[in-house]
Amino acid sequence: GQNIDQPTEMTATEGAIVQINCTYQTSGFNGLFWYQQHAGEAPTFLSYNVLDGLEEKGRFSSFLSRSKGYSYLLLKELQMKDSASYLCAFMDSNYQLIWGAGTKLIIKP
Amino acid sequence: ETGVTQTPRHLVMGMTNKKSLKCEQHLGHNAMYWYKQSAKKPLELMFVYNFKEQTENNSVPSRFSPECPNSSHLFLHLHTLQPEDSALYLCASSQVRGDYNEQFFGPGTRLTVL
């Protein structure tokens, strides 16, 4: 079957670094997405990984290990505006997205 | 208008009402989606339209009825809903091409069923 898991909530301090993990199980895999969703707003695209390794985009980086069924989103130099939910989703063999429940990230001053 | 728009943003309805949610995408995409988002649960894919043809219906109750008149517009017709249907309903679109399916979301309709 298919399964995807991420922590429900994390807390971090402004200016610090936080890593949000995502693990998945599936027989068909075509890439992994990370989205950011502020409260009451639409999810917005952050990153896409299809090959193993680290993709860096400014303060945000995303890592994928296909053999381990594991990804993480790394946020550096945290700002208060980074307080949001972070959703991971993998693309299955039918190219549909299978979503995790999201990780609510709370940033404290 | 840009991106994906949804109306209304908020809707309160009784269990005997009939209402419709509207979604419009201004991105020239060829696929549109309805998702249900409940607190602390994964996004639940309800319906997929690819080139205006419904390609997915993930065991959604018949009280939800989708309509896709063209590749830019998507509706979700609601009737005799239950309180457990209260949730955020998100519309998304994408340009399906081969092995990539980045989805663009609207702001959602917050639905409350009394």
Side-chain angles (χ1 to χ4, degrees), chain A residues 33 35 37 40 42-43 45 48 91 95-97 99-101, chain B residues 9 33 35 37 40 42-43 98-103 105-106:
Chain A
F33 290 86
Y35 278 73
Q37 185 179 24
F45 171 82
Y48 171 70
M91 199 158 49
Y95 301 100
Q96 296 300 339
L97 297 186
W99 296 85
Chain B
R9 293 294 309 274
Y33 310 80
Y35 284 95
Q37 187 176 36
K40 299 185 179 180
L43 285 174
D99 59 356
Y100 189 68
N101 187 12
E102 178 187 342
Q103 295 180 9
F105 286 85

Side-chain angles (χ1 to χ4, degrees), chain A residues 75-95:
Chain A
L75 293 75
K76 302 177 183 176
E77 302 170 16
L78 286 170
Q79 302 175 9
M80 298 303 294
K81 66 179 182 179
D82 297 330
S83 292
S85 288
Y86 291 86
L87 313 178
C88 69
F90 68 82
M91 199 158 49
D92 69 8
S93 55
N94 294 319
Y95 301 100

Side-chain angles (χ1 to χ4, degrees), chain A residues 42, chain B residues 1-6 23-27 29 32 91-94 103-108:
Chain B
E1 295 279 12
T2 59
V4 181
T5 58
Q6 289 186 244
C23 175
E24 184 173 359
Q25 60 99 356
H26 309 267
L27 301 168
H29 288 165
M32 296 186 75
C91 174
S93 71
S94 68
Q103 295 180 9
F104 294 76
F105 286 85

Side-chain angles (χ1 to χ4, degrees), chain A residues 35-57:
Chain A
Y35 278 73
Q36 180 190 59
Q37 185 179 24
H38 285 101
E41 297 184 12
T44 55
F45 171 82
L46 284 178
S47 68
Y48 171 70
N49 294 69
V50 65
L51 300 176
D52 290 351
L54 188 68
E55 295 277 346
E56 297 186 77
K57 192 184 294 185

